[in-house]
Amino acid sequence: MMYNPQLDTFLCVVEAGSFSKAAEQLYISAPAVIKQINSLEASLGMKLFDRTHRGLVVTEAGQSIYNDAKYIIGYCKESVQRAKEAM
């Protein structure tokens, strides 16, 4: 793929609403999901989630990244498909 695969994990966490639910959907452990999100946040230099005793809340920055990531991933998949069809 032509994008950061951590974005897939990020999208899944946002849509699932928790690290553990995302882990179940991705067939990986919750600590692995948390590690990927922490790494993504570190590489971007921003907080994507507020972690509270009530669960996760997507930050404004996180919501912006979420919207753009959905577009980027979709566009990358379409780009690869177009290239395959051109072969």
Side-chain angles (χ1 to χ4, degrees):
M1 282 294 175
M2 299 178 348
Y3 61 88
N4 184 338
Q6 292 171 334
L7 290 175
D8 284 323
T9 301
F10 171 68
L11 293 178
C12 190
V13 171
V14 171
E15 292 166 1
S18 76
F19 294 128
S20 59
K21 288 178 185 173
E24 288 176 21
Q25 292 176 13
L26 295 168
Y27 302 103
I28 59 177
S29 68
V33 170
I34 293 167
K35 186 174 182 179
Q36 286 186 42
I37 297 301
N38 288 343
S39 176
L40 181 61
E41 288 178 325
S43 69
L44 295 174
M46 66 183 73
K47 207 171 162 186
L48 302 173
F49 296 100
D50 285 323
R51 293 140 172 99
T52 69
H53 64 283
R54 296 179 129 178
L56 295 177
V57 178
V58 181
T59 63
E60 282 188 48
Q63 188 61 52
S64 177
I65 294 291
Y66 174 79
N67 294 336
D68 292 340
K70 283 190 70 89
Y71 171 78
I72 290 166
I73 290 170
Y75 191 79
C76 286
K77 288 178 180 178
E78 291 169 10
S79 176
V80 170
Q81 186 59 39
R82 284 190 299 271
K84 285 180 181 179
E85 290 170 2
M87 287 179 34

